[in-house]
Amino acid sequence: MFRSALSTAQRRCFSISAQQNSKVTVLGAAGGIGQPLSLLLKLNPRVTELALYDIRGGPGVAADISHVNTKSKVTGYNSGPEGLKAALEGAEIVLIPAGVPRKPGMTRDDLFNTNASIVRDLAKAAADHAPNANILVIANPVNSTVPITAEVFKSKGVYNPKRLFGVTTLDVVRASRFISELKGTNPANEEVTVIGGHSGVTIVPLLSQSNHPDISGEARNILVNRIQFGGDEVVKAKDGAGSATLSMAYAGSRMADALLRAAAGEKGVIEPTFVQSPLYADKKCDFFSSKVELGPEGVKTIHPIGKLNDYEKGLLAPALEDLAKNIAKASLTPNSILWGVLFANFEEI
Ligand SMILES: NC(=O)C1=CN([C@@H]2O[C@H](COP(=O)(O)OP(=O)(O)OC[C@H]3O[C@@H](n4cnc5c(N)ncnc54)[C@H](O)[C@@H]3O)[C@@H](O)[C@H]2O)C=CC1
Ligand SMILES: O=C([O-])CC(=O)C(=O)O
């Protein structure tokens, strides 16, 4: 059952007996995403050490997962600066699913007040103890938590835009699945480019570049809406018990695996991800999700968007407008989130 959920590339990689020494750290490892994500990482032979940190429950989850009979060493860390430091030191990849999920009626942006400071503080620790790691931000609102992480790393003088990623993989996973349901095809053969950000109308699927450019009219409206609001579908179905966790764990594990394969020298590893990008910087969108080729240094090449049809141009305009606001909020919020960083730096002097 697990195998059937893997992409061809992932299946290929899981069968390789890898020689890499890769420590992967999960911050928020005891949560709805953190637990299945950690389990999937335990199944990845490229991961040799798994460090699981949470403000509660990290050691318990680690003890449980450590019994799975794959080779990697699993350690759980207690809450607090010492546990966080030990979890981060030597990490090649740091995944951050720590943060609260949505309840019905909320937007991802409604999570900003709570999650911005959680991500800020974890980013600060990552900048101190794992400044060269690839940082994969899962906590929402991704459109804002990624620029916040960039600002924290800048304030510490260790920002490398090639190593900071907002995880938008779930959008392409959904797009591939939903288009296959509509067309009765195998999702493994359906690749859909999704660009923009990770919330509502900022999610822009490019169906004209898929295997099914013919989808049009009401069918297209319904499909695009489902891809843009797939997260809401899960929030509604969970009825107050959170948002997507299992599909997100799969998506996060796929993104981490792509980086590990690229680090091992595999060529042509391409994943969509929300990174510092020149593509729409002139529209105040310094971060943008698009197809990115990964390499040993993280981001290798940000691919051009390609040709959009008029319908997609119509989706992109409001996406850029919203995205610019989400990005600006990361530094312009009245009770600036960055004051916390400046204050913390001041305290260290
Ligand atoms: N990027 C994406 O595509 C997706 C993002 N998400 C986001 O991921 C986040 C997590 O979602 P869930 O796992 O469902 O939530 P959850 O509430 O089940 O788990 C969050 C975990 O983070 C921990 N945590 C909170 N503050 C922490 C801190 N300072 N340090 C370490 N751990 C801390 C909690 O103890 C909890 O175990 C949410 O913000 C959600 O919106 C969810 C689905 C998809
Ligand atoms: O919808 C949410 O709040 C969680 C999320 O980002 C997703 O499922 O895409």
Side-chain angles (χ1 to χ4, degrees):
M1 194 174 139
F2 173 70
R3 276 180 70 87
S4 67
L6 303 180
S7 67
T8 311
Q10 213 169 1
R11 207 174 297 132
R12 193 181 335 124
C13 108
F14 272 32
S15 65
I16 288 170
S17 133
Q19 301 299 310
Q20 269 170 291
N21 270 323
S22 297
K23 174 173 173 178
V24 177
T25 299
V26 182
L27 305 179
I33 295 167
Q35 293 199 35
L37 172 61
S38 302
L39 176 61
L40 291 173
L41 292 167
K42 177 71 173 119
L43 299 179
N44 188 330
R46 294 191 188 279
V47 179
T48 48
E49 191 178 342
L50 195 51
L52 306 184
Y53 175 85
D54 201 293
I55 46 167
R56 63 187 76 85
V61 172
D64 188 353
I65 288 180
S66 75
H67 291 189
V68 173
N69 61 341
T70 57
K71 268 174 91 177
S72 49
K73 177 181 161 209
V74 186
T75 311
Y77 294 90
N78 285 314
S79 180
E82 284 313 309
L84 193 49
K85 177 172 184 269
L88 286 165
E89 275 175 346
E92 183 175 323
I93 294 182
V94 177
L95 292 124
I96 311 185
V100 296
R102 284 198 284 167
K103 291 198 185 308
M106 291 172 80
T107 66
R108 291 181 183 80
D109 192 47
D110 292 333
L111 301 172
F112 183 93
N113 285 344
T114 312
N115 288 353
S117 54
I118 292 175
V119 172
R120 175 200 68 198
D121 292 346
L122 293 175
K124 183 173 171 287
D128 285 341
H129 306 302
N132 301 318
N134 293 304
I135 309 294
L136 275 60
V137 181
I138 294 172
N140 272 315
V142 166
N143 295 356
S144 304
T145 50
V146 171
I148 285 171
T149 303
E151 290 305 320
V152 171
F153 272 66
K154 278 182 206 165
S155 79
K156 295 270 182 184
V158 292
Y159 179 51
N160 177 355
K162 292 184 187 309
R163 296 235 181 250
L164 175 60
F165 306 87
V167 182
T168 55
T169 325
L170 184 52
D171 299 318
V172 297
V173 168
R174 284 186 177 131
S176 147
R177 180 64 190 142
F178 297 166
I179 207 167
S180 79
E181 283 178 331
L182 184 69
K183 290 290 183 179
T185 55
N186 182 349
N189 302 328
E190 299 294 355
E191 202 190 301
V192 184
T193 300
V194 181
I195 62 169
H198 179 68
S199 72
V201 300
T202 72
I203 298 169
V204 179
L206 303 182
L207 301 180
S208 70
Q209 297 179 16
S210 75
N211 293 339
H212 307 283
D214 54 304
I215 300 173
S216 62
E218 198 44 20
R220 178 169 61 184
N221 291 340
I222 292 169
L223 178 61
V224 167
N225 185 270
R226 191 169 180 215
I227 295 168
Q228 291 185 319
F229 295 93
D232 297 64
E233 201 176 292
V234 181
V235 170
K236 190 162 172 245
K238 290 201 174 178
D239 197 18
S243 55
T245 53
L246 304 171
S247 49
M248 181 58 233
Y250 164 70
S253 134
R254 171 172 142 173
M255 183 62 197
D257 180 63
L259 278 159
L260 290 170
R261 285 187 286 123
E266 187 175 320
K267 301 276 182 274
V269 180
I270 297 172
E271 280 292 343
T273 174
F274 187 69
V275 293
Q276 185 175 316
S277 170
L279 291 174
Y280 293 97
D282 62 334
K283 304 269 189 239
K284 298 193 164 57
C285 292
D286 290 322
F287 293 84
F288 194 81
S289 186
S290 62
K291 279 176 151 177
V292 174
E293 184 166 351
L294 305 170
E297 272 78 48
V299 173
K300 187 172 173 214
T301 311
I302 295 173
H303 284 248
I305 298 302
K307 201 167 173 336
L308 306 190
N309 62 24
D310 287 345
Y311 179 84
E312 290 157 353
K313 285 180 192 157
L315 294 176
L316 187 60
L320 290 170
E321 218 173 282
D322 264 28
L323 190 51
K325 285 186 206 146
N326 295 158
I327 293 169
K329 191 172 176 181
S331 53
L332 295 181
T333 179
N335 186 12
S336 177
I337 209 72
L338 294 172
W339 279 109
V341 180
L342 295 173
F343 183 65
N345 286 344
F346 179 72
E347 273 187 324
E348 280 164 13
I349 293 169

